[in-house]
Amino acid sequence: MSRVYARRLIRRITVLASTAALTVTGLLVTAPAAQAAPPTPVSASTARTYLSQLTVRAEGSSSGYSRDLFPHWITQYDTCNTREVVLKRDGVNVVQDANCAAVSGSWYSAYDGATWTLASDLDIDHVVPLAEAWRSGASSWTTTQRRSFANDLSRPQLIAVTDNVNQAKGDQDPAEWMPPRTAYRCTYARMWVHVKHYWNLSVDSAEKSALQSVLNNCS
């Protein structure tokens, strides 16, 4: 067994074990007190108001979509691009080299409750996926608008999470996927609505119902 394969296998087992523990015990796993995080989303009550203001329409087509139409990760300062800025922001004791790459640190993935010490184990998730945005109105945006959306550090749109979990999410909306760690679902719904409201993106009926269901149980 190669070292790379063994490492991936161990990582996958760790993620599955973490998720299973949450499912079986029902215990809430909380992030370390020192953990940094994305910008705080609007409150649940504000999210409910925002959700009622979003345009509801059938999801558009993916025709013409390409990730290249949402330029990322752009340089934010010096040699640091958006991914590197988020890794620094969301981690604890993160050390970066001269090229801004994270060479050490600790990252807590709020989606599944796993903690990682290698930046390569993390993806930067677009809370509202790029393809979802395309189908919800971004297909009519300019490239400049799509670039701003794909690198938005001012809203709760970007978060460092376990790579396998992010890949399982893909471009699904909350009617199709929610974080496996149930304790984070209220926050996730608030983040989703906050971003869609700011960027004036639509929701489909199933997506809105799923968000309402979560937010109605959030304080």
Side-chain angles (χ1 to χ4, degrees):
M1 179 184 296
S2 69
R3 290 184 179 179
V4 173
Y5 178 81
R7 178 169 162 270
R8 288 178 178 171
L9 181 60
I10 291 170
R11 186 173 70 212
R12 190 169 294 113
I13 291 171
T14 301
V15 172
L16 291 173
S18 175
T19 302
L22 289 172
T23 302
V24 172
T25 67
L27 297 175
L28 303 183
V29 179
T30 56
Q35 178 67 33
T40 303
V42 295
S43 67
S45 60
T46 298
R48 288 190 286 267
T49 298
Y50 279 7
L51 182 58
S52 70
Q53 296 170 349
L54 294 178
T55 298
V56 180
R57 62 169 171 248
E59 195 166 84
S61 170
S62 294
S63 178
Y65 168 74
S66 168
R67 287 179 66 86
D68 292 339
L69 296 173
F70 293 79
H72 65 288
W73 304 110
I74 64 171
T75 300
Q76 293 291 340
Y77 61 86
D78 298 330
T79 60
C80 300
N81 66 29
T82 307
R83 171 183 166 84
E84 291 152 350
V85 170
V86 174
L87 285 172
K88 176 71 171 178
R89 182 198 69 190
D90 289 4
V92 174
N93 298 323
V94 177
V95 175
Q96 296 172 308
D97 65 18
N99 295 317
C100 210
V103 294
S104 65
S106 176
W107 292 269
Y108 177 83
S109 170
Y111 284 4
D112 59 329
T115 298
W116 305 103
T117 56
L118 291 176
S120 58
D121 287 322
L122 299 149
D123 280 352
I124 306 304
D125 180 42
H126 288 95
V127 171
V128 176
L130 304 183
E132 165 67 21
W134 177 269
R135 298 189 296 263
S136 303
S139 59
S140 65
W141 291 354
T142 64
T143 299
T144 298
Q145 288 175 302
R146 289 192 288 263
R147 178 188 298 112
S148 296
F149 175 81
N151 299 276
D152 188 358
L153 293 168
S154 298
R155 263 66 53 182
Q157 163 66 344
L158 301 171
I159 182 172
V161 297
T162 302
D163 54 3
N164 291 349
V165 174
N166 182 53
Q167 290 153 24
K169 171 185 172 179
D171 64 355
Q172 299 178 92
D173 69 31
E176 304 159 320
W177 187 94
M178 289 290 283
R181 179 173 164 251
T182 57
Y184 200 68
R185 290 181 180 179
C186 279
T187 301
Y188 184 79
R190 289 160 51 206
M191 295 165 78
W192 184 281
V193 173
H194 186 158
V195 172
K196 280 222 161 177
H197 185 270
Y198 178 84
W199 289 97
N200 195 29
L201 294 168
S202 64
V203 290
D204 62 48
S205 57
E207 175 188 352
K208 182 175 182 178
S209 293
L211 289 163
Q212 283 178 325
S213 179
V214 173
L215 291 171
N216 285 343
N217 291 296
C218 302
S219 57

